[in-house]
């Protein structure tokens, strides 16, 4: 990981990714952008039982949207659903139990869902940061399987359903941490060298941004976007950050609702789809996907190699 990229990113984060960064940006937000009646719209939110995913599902349910929560843990999902229904007074909230690290499970769920449900907006929020190299039952590195391959399979499998509706959208919750990484297509499962969970996560998030750009160029009728939620105080953030570092910046972290704000805006606002598809957003604005002088850009050939590898993995586990 480049020392230069890391240093520039950290300074940028302290200025922009914190609570104060959000509050400064929010002064320019239009409240009317989220003033929507979503009673005729269906949304899927992965990783919706806590953190930014739950906050996103909550805001959509409050506006009348039908919410499909895709979660791994049934008990936690049902508890979150009960809280969302109670607070939103919206009964159209449904739980689907899927392990996003299992390629076969994701395929089976997406195929079944497409046959029985309508979908207007897919929100790829589920993610993990495993700090020691761990393989899934299918023999895949867990961060890659969850963050990249699971997102790839779910999105590509649901594109035909999205193409059937009006104003379809796909929002992928990436991370500003991807700015520290240049795409490495030669070691997608982190088999070489010493394993670094933070680096693996950031690499996956870079992959998600590239996928979003590629999907946007291939499927013009769907609005694709990726985004950075900022540094939010979520269960995932607490688990993934060193304990001492988390304590030091706790007072600076955004709330879960602040982290979810741009996700919701991209999912429901008429203003969002007036902007070009495929962009990376932060606080409701498109932002650069590379730091200045960071040498993190990949070639078209490298990006093609990524897509080919993901498609090969996807077909291997397709039922």
């Amino acid at each position: 990981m480049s020392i230069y990229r890391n240093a520039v990113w950290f300074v940028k984060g302290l200025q922009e990714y914190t609570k104060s960064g959000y509050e400064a940006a929010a002064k320019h937000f239009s409240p009317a952008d989220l003033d929507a009646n979503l009673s005729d719209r269906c949304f899927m939110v992965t990783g919706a039982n806590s953190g930014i995913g739950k906050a996103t599902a909550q805001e959509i349910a409050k506006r009348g949207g039908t919410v499909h929560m895709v979660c791994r843990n049934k008990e936690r999902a049902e508890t979150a659903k009960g809280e969302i229904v109670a607070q939103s007074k919206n009964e159209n909230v449904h739980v689907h139990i899927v392990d996003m690290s299992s390629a076969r499970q994701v395929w089976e769920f997406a195929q079944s869902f497409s046959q029985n449900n309508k979908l207007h907006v897919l929100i790829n929020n589920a993610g993990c940061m495993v700090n020691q190299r761990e393989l899934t039952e299918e023999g895949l590195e867990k961060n890659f399987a969850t963050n990249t391959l699971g997102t790839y399979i779910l999105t590509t499998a649901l594109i035909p359903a999205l193409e059937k509706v009006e104003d379809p959208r796909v929002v992928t919750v990436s991370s500003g941490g991807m700015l520290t990484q240049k795409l490495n297509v030669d070691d997608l499962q982190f088999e070489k060298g010493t394993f670094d969970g933070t680096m693996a996560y950031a690499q996956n998030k870079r992959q998600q941004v590239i996928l979003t750009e590629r999907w946007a160029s291939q499927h013009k009728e769907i609005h694709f976007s990726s985004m950075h939620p900022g540094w939010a105080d979520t269960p995932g953030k607490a688990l993934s950050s060193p304990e001492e570092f988390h304590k030091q910046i706790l007072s600076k972290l955004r709330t879960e609702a602040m982290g979810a704000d741009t996700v919701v805006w991209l999912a429901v606002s008429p203003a969002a789809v007036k902007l070009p598809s495929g962009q990376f957003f932060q606080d409701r604005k498109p932002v650069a996907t590379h730091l200045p002088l960071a040498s993190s850009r990949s070639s078209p050939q490298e990006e093609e190699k990524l897509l080919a590898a993901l498609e090969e993995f996807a077909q291997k586990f397709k039922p």
Side-chain angles (χ1 to χ4, degrees), residues 19 24 46 51 62 98 105 112 115 144 146 163 167 203 205 234 263 281 283 286 294 307 311-312:
K19 184 186 296 183
T46 66
K62 278 167 55 177
V98 185
Q105 271 193 48
S112 173
Q115 293 171 2
F144 168 77
T146 306
E163 289 175 333
D167 187 16
Q203 183 72 207
K205 294 301 174 177
T234 65
V263 186
F281 287 80
D283 294 333
L307 266 70
E311 184 60 21
E312 183 177 341

Side-chain angles (χ1 to χ4, degrees), residues 26-87:
K27 292 176 182 177
H28 306 286
F29 291 172
S30 169
D33 280 354
L34 298 183
D35 187 17
N37 182 344
L38 306 177
S39 58
D40 61 345
R41 305 275 288 170
C42 298
F43 300 77
M44 180 183 293
V45 185
T46 66
N49 63 325
S50 67
I52 289 168
K54 182 183 175 185
T56 298
Q58 173 74 55
E59 290 300 315
I60 291 169
K62 278 167 55 177
R63 291 166 174 79
T66 295
V67 179
H68 295 277
M69 302 169 60
V70 177
C71 306
R72 186 167 53 107
N73 184 293
K74 182 174 176 60
E75 183 178 350
R76 290 174 61 195
E78 291 293 349
T79 298
K81 173 189 171 180
E83 293 170 355
I84 290 170
V85 169
Q87 293 175 26

Side-chain angles (χ1 to χ4, degrees), residues 31-266:
D33 280 354
L34 298 183
D35 187 17
N37 182 344
L38 306 177
S39 58
D40 61 345
R41 305 275 288 170
C42 298
F43 300 77
M44 180 183 293
V45 185
T46 66
N49 63 325
S50 67
I52 289 168
K54 182 183 175 185
T56 298
Q58 173 74 55
E59 290 300 315
I60 291 169
K62 278 167 55 177
R63 291 166 174 79
T66 295
V67 179
H68 295 277
M69 302 169 60
V70 177
C71 306
R72 186 167 53 107
N73 184 293
K74 182 174 176 60
E75 183 178 350
R76 290 174 61 195
E78 291 293 349
T79 298
K81 173 189 171 180
E83 293 170 355
I84 290 170
V85 169
Q87 293 175 26
S88 67
K89 306 295 189 280
N90 181 352
E91 295 287 340
N92 291 320
V93 180
H94 311 279
V95 167
H96 307 270
I97 303 304
V98 185
D99 182 349
M100 289 296 296
S101 73
S102 169
R104 193 173 299 278
Q105 271 193 48
V106 176
W107 265 122
E108 290 172 348
F109 165 68
Q111 291 171 337
S112 173
F113 185 91
S114 297
Q115 293 171 2
N116 299 299
N117 301 276
K118 185 182 289 188
L119 182 64
H120 295 90
V121 182
L122 168 62
I123 299 171
N124 290 312
N125 169 74
C128 72
M129 187 195 293
V130 180
N131 287 311
Q132 293 185 335
R133 193 170 188 276
E134 181 181 330
L135 301 183
T136 67
E137 291 182 3
E138 294 166 335
L140 301 173
E141 193 278 320
K142 196 162 190 177
N143 292 292
F144 168 77
T146 306
N147 301 329
T148 302
L149 185 60
T151 297
Y152 175 83
I153 293 173
L154 185 64
T155 304
T156 53
L158 291 175
I159 281 174
L162 288 162
E163 289 175 333
K164 295 176 183 177
V165 302
E166 185 179 350
D167 187 16
R169 310 185 192 191
V170 175
V171 182
T172 298
V173 180
S174 180
S175 168
M178 66 92 189
L179 293 168
T180 65
Q181 289 292 305
K182 179 183 186 297
L183 177 66
N184 180 6
V185 287
D186 296 322
D187 190 21
L188 291 175
Q189 298 197 66
F190 316 107
E191 297 169 286
K192 303 172 184 176
T194 303
F195 182 79
D196 182 333
T198 303
M199 183 276 290
Y201 179 82
Q203 183 72 207
N204 295 157
K205 294 301 174 177
R206 168 64 71 189
Q207 293 160 2
Q208 290 179 342
V209 169
I210 291 170
L211 287 175
T212 296
E213 294 169 346
R214 286 306 185 106
W215 285 327
S217 69
Q218 295 167 353
H219 306 281
K220 305 290 189 184
E221 61 284 357
I222 301 173
H223 191 273
F224 290 89
S225 57
S226 58
M227 60 79 67
H228 174 42
W231 292 344
D233 187 16
T234 65
K237 182 70 176 174
L239 288 171
S240 63
S241 301
E243 185 177 352
E244 198 57 39
F245 173 75
H246 187 75
K247 286 179 182 177
Q248 289 175 0
I249 67 165
L250 184 60
S251 63
K252 301 182 189 304
L253 296 178
R254 299 180 178 199
T255 65
E256 293 172 347
M258 289 175 178
D261 177 83
T262 296
V263 186
V264 177
W265 182 81
L266 287 166

